[in-house]
Amino acid sequence: MAWSDELRGMHARLRKALTLTQEALASGEPVEVASHDLLLFCHGFCTALTGHHEGEDRVLFPAIAAEHPELRETLRKLEQDHSMIAYLISGLQAAVDAKASPGDLSRHLEGISAIMESHFRYEERQLLTVLETLALDAGPDVLGPL
């Protein structure tokens, strides 16, 4: 298995899930309906993104650090991003639960989107070459539930 392909594929699926979440919010439905759709999409998206980052932190990053100690600082930065994204996701989930306005929900999604995209691009630039040859005895589900 090429872990670089798995990572790129997971990032593509998470980007699509975020787009679906944003489309549910922008659909023009009454706030209650849009919030219901958003809650469904957000639950799936937020769960998938959180699972993806937990799998990286728990399994993938330690395997990379063991084979490529020179990347430990890069991995530390990526883990910091994971913490920031988790914080933003908890804010979005609280806003959905509080039935926030579409504008507020959209701002939460924009923040997650900006950090997530920056994180994915940095991660791919820094790790894809390493992931081409990484020997890891795990299934692709280590990268999350999507």
Side-chain angles (χ1 to χ4, degrees), residues 29-84:
E29 296 285 341
V31 174
E32 295 78 23
V33 175
S35 293
H36 180 264
D37 288 347
L38 180 63
L39 182 60
L40 290 174
F41 285 117
C42 177
H43 179 72
F45 166 73
C46 294
T47 299
L49 185 59
T50 299
H52 171 66
H53 289 158
E54 288 172 351
E56 285 180 335
D57 292 347
R58 189 179 60 255
V59 179
L60 189 63
F61 289 177
I64 292 171
E67 289 187 28
H68 299 277
E70 72 279 7
L71 290 175
R72 286 194 175 133
E73 181 62 22
T74 296
L75 298 172
R76 188 186 65 73
K77 288 177 184 175
L78 290 168
E79 288 171 344
Q80 286 175 334
D81 284 355
H82 292 172
S83 293
M84 181 185 310

Side-chain angles (χ1 to χ4, degrees), residues 1-22:
M1 169 184 323
W3 284 100
S4 57
D5 292 340
E6 292 298 323
L7 184 69
R8 273 192 294 258
M10 177 54 76
H11 286 175
R13 290 186 295 278
L14 287 166
R15 285 177 176 117
K16 179 65 176 170
L18 178 61
T19 298
L20 291 172
T21 304
Q22 291 169 317

